[in-house]
Amino acid sequence: MSSELKNLSKRFSDIVEEAARSVVSIITLKLAISAFLTPMPVKGVGSGFVIHRRLIVTNAHVVAGARKVEVVYHDGMKEEGDIVARDPYRDLALVYVNRSDITPLELGDSNKLRVGELVFAIGSPLGLLGPTVTMGVVSALGRVIAHEKLVLEDLIQTDAAINPGNSGGPLINVEGKVIGVVTAIIPYAQGIGFAIPINTVKRFIELVKKFGKPIRAWIGVYTTPITSQIASYYGLPTKQGLLVVKVVPGSPADAVGIEAGDIIMKVNGNYIRSVSELKNYIEDAASRGYVDLEIMKRNRLVKIRVPIIIEEID
């Protein structure tokens, strides 16, 4: 092994070792109903990481329905945490802890991610306590994945091995900065994993600070960014904007005539490039009650005003 490769390997090891100190295992206790219709305690294991002093981020599905949330740190110390916010539509949750001597991980900018970048997933795979690490690359960006009644948008796709128990752990880059939160909610994924962009996490925390709890501001569309490949494959008339892949029946978007196959070009007069931008514009316009879209529909541009539905998430 060349000295350059050894130095690079050591650098990566140092970065991962430092980051792992801020990663925790999360053990939950939930009540389920047995075959004899009696309450039965069920344990679950996930991951999380310190994002602010005394605050841990994880996946919403990791702590869903939990009667008790136990946080296990890298040094073996345990304590009970309190769920302070949970947003199933973003699959994110915040857990408050008393311990304050753990350094929060530095957050990156997921908008600057590029396909091919080297990444590391840190967590507690398969319920094995204590942080472990897998390595891979960013395989794709802006993925839309449907799981039962939940649709997750704007996901990072990676080939880093991700297993149950990894959920809620950080996906970090070669600088040791978090660029995503791993989610293992997709049961049929083979050889690929997904992560929620860290900018989505920042937005989630911003909304909790502003409203005191998560909110969902929505119009009823699921979209994916248009790339050159998608434009070419589907014969689209443009290589920019967001392609509408699904419209929720009975939603505001459905009521004003938006359909799958339409292309959202502008939001409130601004050109749109990503799913997260669309969500941000809708949330920013929530107090106004509507959002103005410029849409390409059957090769012609139309302007549509869409009412916004606001839901508080308990």
Side-chain angles (χ1 to χ4, degrees), residues 11 22 34 55 57 68 71 75 95 125 153 167 189 201 219 238 244 256 279 285 288 292 299:
R11 176 171 169 250
S22 301
S34 71
L55 202 59
V57 68
K68 180 181 178 181
V71 177
D75 57 6
V95 177
E153 301 174 282
S167 273
V201 181
I219 60 174
T238 179
V244 177
V256 298
K279 284 186 174 182
R288 187 174 62 190
D292 291 320
N299 293 337

Side-chain angles (χ1 to χ4, degrees), residues 9 23 36 54-55 59 70 94 123 127 129 171 181 193 246 300:
S9 178
V23 179
F36 301 100
R54 294 191 172 93
L55 202 59
N59 286 144
E70 186 177 58
L94 296 175
L129 297 182
L171 189 71
V181 178
K246 180 181 179 181
R300 66 186 184 89

